[in-house]
């Protein structure tokens, strides 16, 4: 594997820099994991050369919300047509049967699927740890696939017997949760530029942990200098639960417990009202918008146009593979664009804006200024899209990828290392992984 690469004569390089620059017939030189130069007729030196005729280059896409463990429970019959709470109650008993190896296999499959769809950085939200499973299992998986990874140590502590949604067998003691958060941060979190792993703290949702754990998690995260993540205002049921249980809307609940700020991002926020949007914009609180999951669970259309107009930070997420049921991030960006148009008209979101959310937007939500754009000095995380195929044939604007373009990458580089080559994952045996995944899923289905 060459340590340096020269991408030669790309049809278009969409930099996603502040000016939105797009370069035609341009070269990109990657050296030591970093973008060293962009220009014309660059010298290769000892770098490997990738000829890029008919290729559009974008920054690697950034996925801001996922539950990688769910890749083994796609299209489960009892959950196919249920709303959020009913869907969760169908799946909890199945998830309770997971082993550490299931966690690893499921994460690898989910990350491989993401990589093929142009994703170079993914967050993950793991909030159940049955039968000895640990956050470590997913971190190991990400290292094998070769993606940049932001795992968050999730948690559930209020079981059914205390008025929560999950079964008692899947909840943990709150003291043990905080102790394990400290363990994984100390073991894996890397604050340095170019970090391949950054850990976050992420109680599952206001309806599965106590008010005290939400507050203590925020204190711990700030003490350790890591980010906070949870689910918020996902649908009407979720808002009703907040009003009935806490006597306030989700935004107020978040603010009261320290869950606003530029080090916090919330998944979904489909039902934020105008006041909550203003609060999140003012505090620079981020949102992971997951349009396919919102469609799949009938949650509604998140007010993304209003969020952007207010100056909020918005990234995209595929959400767990049990509520999508895929994990294709470029499809997610297209869905984000389409859904705003359903709500607000054809000029509500352009293809380039949606791609901006999938790259720069996601990087900002994860607190990273070293990725998300193609400029010298940024990390060499690049997605190469072949626009010479049938999906792009007849397109007058190949850079409008989300209107007409491939849904899988031709090549993918992370930290200057090639993860996808000629449309295939080159870091692992995908067929063997799919076999493992099928056998794990069959065992879980057998009960
Ligand atoms: Zn989620």
């Amino acid at each position: 594997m060459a340590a340096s690469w020269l991408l030669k004569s790309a049809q278009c390089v969409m930099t996603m820099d502040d000016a939105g620059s797009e370069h035609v017939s341009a070269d990109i030189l990657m050296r030591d994991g970093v973008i060293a130069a962009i220009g014309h007729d660059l010298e290769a030196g000892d770098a490997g050369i990738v000829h890029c005729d008919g290729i559009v280059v974008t920054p690697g896409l950034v996925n801001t919300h996922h539950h990688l463990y769910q890749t083994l429970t796609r299209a489960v019959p009892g959950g196919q047509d249920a709303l959020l709470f009913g869907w969760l109650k169908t799946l909890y008993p199945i998830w309770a049967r997971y082993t550490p190896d299931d966690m690893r296999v499921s994460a690898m499959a989910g990350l491989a699927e993401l990589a093929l769809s142009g994703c170079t950085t993914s967050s993950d939200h793991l909030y159940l740890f049955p039968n000895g499973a640990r956050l470590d299992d997913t971190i190991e998986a990400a290292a094998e696939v070769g993606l940049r990874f932001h795992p968050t140590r999730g948690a559930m502590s209020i079981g059914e017997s205390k008025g929560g949604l999950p079964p008692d067998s899947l909840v943990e003691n709150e003291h043990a949760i905080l102790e394990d958060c400290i363990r994984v941060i100390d073991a894996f979190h890397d604050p340095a530029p170019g970090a391949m792993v950054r850990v976050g703290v992420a109680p599952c949702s206001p309806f599965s942990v106590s008010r005290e754990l939400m507050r203590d998690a925020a204190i711990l995260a700030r003490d350790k200098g890591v980010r906070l993540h949870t689910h918020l205002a996902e649908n009407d049921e979720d808002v009703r639960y907040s009003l009935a249980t806490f006597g306030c809307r989700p935004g107020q609940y978040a603010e009261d417990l320290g869950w606003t700020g530029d080090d916090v991002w919330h998944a979904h926020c489909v039902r934020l009202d105008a006041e909550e949007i203003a609060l999140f914009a003012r505090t620079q609180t981020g949102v992971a918008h997951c349009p396919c999951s919102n469609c799949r669970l009938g949650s509604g259309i998140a007010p993304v146009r209003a969020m952007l107009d207010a100056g909020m930070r918005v990234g995209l997420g595929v959400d767990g593979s049990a509520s999508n049921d895929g994990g294709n991030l470029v499809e997610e960006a297209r869905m984000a664009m389409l859904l705003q148009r359903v709500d607000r008209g054809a000029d509500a979101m352009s293809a380039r804006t949606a791609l901006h959310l999938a790259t720069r937007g996601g990087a900002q939500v994860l607190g990273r200024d070293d990725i998300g754009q193609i400029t010298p000095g940024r990390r060499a995380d690049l997605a190469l899209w072949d626009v010479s195929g049938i999906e792009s044939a007849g397109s007058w604007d190949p850079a409008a990828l989300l209107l007409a373009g491939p849904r899988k990458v031709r090549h993918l580089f992370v930290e200057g290392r090639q993860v996808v080559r000629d449309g295939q994952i080159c870091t692992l045996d995908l067929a063997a992984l799919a076999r493992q995944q099928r056998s794990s899923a069959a065992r879980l289905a057998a009960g």
Side-chain angles (χ1 to χ4, degrees):
M1 193 179 290
S4 305
W5 292 98
L6 177 66
L7 308 186
K8 196 82 196 142
S9 297
Q11 181 168 337
C12 178
V13 176
M14 302 179 73
T15 65
M16 298 293 164
D17 65 7
D18 291 340
S21 312
E22 295 177 7
H23 305 299
V24 176
S25 301
D27 302 347
I28 301 174
L29 183 64
M30 295 181 254
R31 209 175 271 294
D32 301 325
V34 169
I35 296 165
I38 305 161
H40 296 94
D41 303 318
L42 298 180
E43 289 296 328
D46 59 355
I49 295 178
V50 181
H51 294 284
C52 290
D53 308 311
I55 297 278
V56 170
V57 185
T58 68
L61 276 46
V62 178
N63 180 41
T64 60
H65 188 62
H66 209 329
H67 310 288
L68 286 163
Y69 78 89
Q70 294 178 2
T71 313
L72 293 178
T73 51
R74 301 199 227 229
V76 170
Q80 283 184 15
D81 304 316
L83 288 176
L84 174 66
F85 284 14
W87 171 85
L88 281 169
K89 287 190 159 216
T90 302
L91 291 166
Y92 282 142
I94 303 171
W95 295 336
R97 299 199 282 273
Y98 270 54
T99 64
D101 199 48
D102 291 333
M103 289 292 181
R104 196 182 59 82
V105 168
S106 192
M108 282 177 71
L111 290 164
E113 190 183 9
L114 278 172
L116 289 169
S117 76
C119 175
T120 50
T121 298
S122 184
S123 65
D124 187 42
H125 189 184
L126 181 57
Y127 53 82
L128 39 86
F129 300 90
N131 309 309
R134 301 192 303 169
L135 198 70
D136 316 36
D137 304 321
T138 60
I139 294 171
E140 205 179 289
E144 282 194 56
V145 180
L147 291 201
R148 211 179 286 286
F149 197 41
H150 281 229
T152 61
R153 205 298 182 183
M156 299 194 293
S157 63
I158 307 283
E160 263 172 332
S161 65
K162 291 186 180 143
L165 205 65
D168 289 356
S169 65
L170 274 181
V171 304
E172 297 176 273
N173 166 289
E174 297 198 342
H175 180 71
I177 290 168
L178 292 168
E179 286 295 308
D180 197 51
C181 286
I182 294 170
R183 179 187 72 80
V184 292
I185 293 165
D186 290 348
F188 299 109
H189 181 71
D190 178 5
M196 291 300 288
V197 178
R198 284 196 188 158
V199 177
V201 174
C204 183
S205 63
F207 56 81
S208 55
V209 301
S210 74
R211 177 182 278 273
E212 290 70 32
L213 184 64
M214 290 295 285
R215 185 200 56 208
D216 292 349
I219 293 168
L220 169 66
R222 297 212 162 98
D223 182 49
K224 289 284 188 184
V226 303
R227 302 179 87 73
L228 283 163
H229 181 48
T230 193
H231 294 97
L232 203 78
E234 181 163 350
N235 68 2
D236 291 330
E237 272 179 305
D238 196 355
V239 175
R240 273 199 299 274
Y241 181 94
S242 183
L243 289 168
T245 313
F246 310 125
C248 63
R249 289 188 51 88
Q252 172 87 57
Y253 186 72
E255 189 182 26
D256 288 351
L257 297 173
W259 279 76
T260 50
D262 64 3
D263 55 354
V264 182
W265 86 106
H266 296 288
H268 302 302
C269 294
V270 173
R271 293 299 182 214
L272 288 193
D273 67 13
E275 218 171 294
E276 290 168 316
I277 289 174
L279 167 68
F280 282 14
R282 193 167 63 244
T283 54
Q284 289 296 289
T285 307
V287 165
H289 172 46
C290 308
C292 289
S293 169
N294 298 159
C295 291
R296 161 75 161 81
L297 293 173
S299 301
I301 302 174
V304 174
R305 184 70 264 166
M307 291 175 182
L308 296 175
D309 290 346
M312 263 178 69
R313 299 177 167 195
V314 181
L316 299 182
V318 296
D319 202 2
S321 308
S323 66
N324 188 317
D325 294 49
N328 183 312
L329 192 51
V330 74
E331 292 273 20
E332 203 71 39
R334 177 173 160 87
M335 184 58 90
M337 171 188 77
L338 295 178
L339 212 46
Q340 290 309 299
R341 292 171 177 222
V342 171
D343 198 31
R344 303 279 290 259
D347 60 353
M349 187 177 287
S350 70
R352 282 174 169 80
T353 299
L355 200 57
H356 192 269
L357 295 184
T359 51
R360 280 295 286 278
Q364 197 180 30
V365 162
L366 295 185
R368 300 202 62 141
D369 58 10
D370 56 345
I371 59 171
Q373 56 181 305
I374 305 175
T375 50
R378 257 59 180 212
R379 313 313 297 188
D381 291 7
L382 300 172
L384 279 62
W385 308 89
D386 184 348
V387 294
S388 67
I390 196 75
E391 313 90 338
S392 307
S395 172
W396 290 34
D397 180 10
L401 279 176
L402 301 182
L403 290 173
R407 297 292 171 252
K408 285 190 173 174
V409 286
R410 172 84 179 273
H411 304 295
L412 189 81
F413 293 86
V414 182
E415 191 74 357
R417 292 185 286 263
Q418 194 157 18
V419 172
V420 177
R421 182 181 304 131
D422 287 324
Q424 304 294 325
I425 299 273
C426 49
T427 49
L428 51 90
D429 180 347
L430 205 57
L433 178 62
R435 273 197 302 279
Q436 260 183 301
Q437 196 189 1
R438 276 195 298 277
S439 94
S440 289
R443 204 194 67 254
L444 291 167

